[in-house]
Amino acid sequence: ISLQSISCPKVYNIDEYCFYSCKNLSTISFPRLKTIGTSSFEDVPAIETVEFPDVDYITSYAYKNCKGLTTFNIPNTVK
């Protein structure tokens, strides 16, 4: 998939494998996101920064093999 950027201000949940293997996805914005499903961003090497100020829950392997990820800002209360 050639998706490079996504912004969804009204999305609260991302289902499992939603952006799995989106090789070119580098910019993501989900300011109201609460839940990130299993492997949602797995194998997305272009992502460099993740900022989800309202996220409550991140499941397993959500960012597995995101080799470009250098900044990860989430609340301390994430489960």
Side-chain angles (χ1 to χ4, degrees):
I1 296 175
S2 63
L3 183 65
Q4 295 178 346
S5 177
I6 187 161
S7 177
C8 297
K10 294 185 180 183
V11 170
Y12 297 96
N13 302 303
I14 297 177
D15 288 335
E16 59 186 35
Y17 297 98
C18 189
F19 297 102
Y20 177 84
S21 201
C22 286
K23 301 293 184 194
N24 298 316
L25 182 61
S26 60
T27 305
I28 53 176
S29 176
F30 295 92
R32 295 187 179 146
L33 191 64
K34 295 293 184 185
T35 303
I36 300 172
T38 301
S39 298
S40 294
F41 296 97
E42 183 176 345
D43 290 325
V44 182
I47 290 179
E48 295 178 358
T49 301
V50 170
E51 293 188 42
F52 297 127
D54 291 334
V55 72
D56 292 325
Y57 190 75
I58 299 175
T59 57
S60 59
Y61 304 110
Y63 294 95
K64 182 180 179 184
N65 295 328
C66 290
K67 299 185 188 308
L69 191 58
T70 57
T71 304
F72 198 78
N73 295 320
I74 57 173
N76 292 333
T77 56
V78 171
K79 299 174 189 168

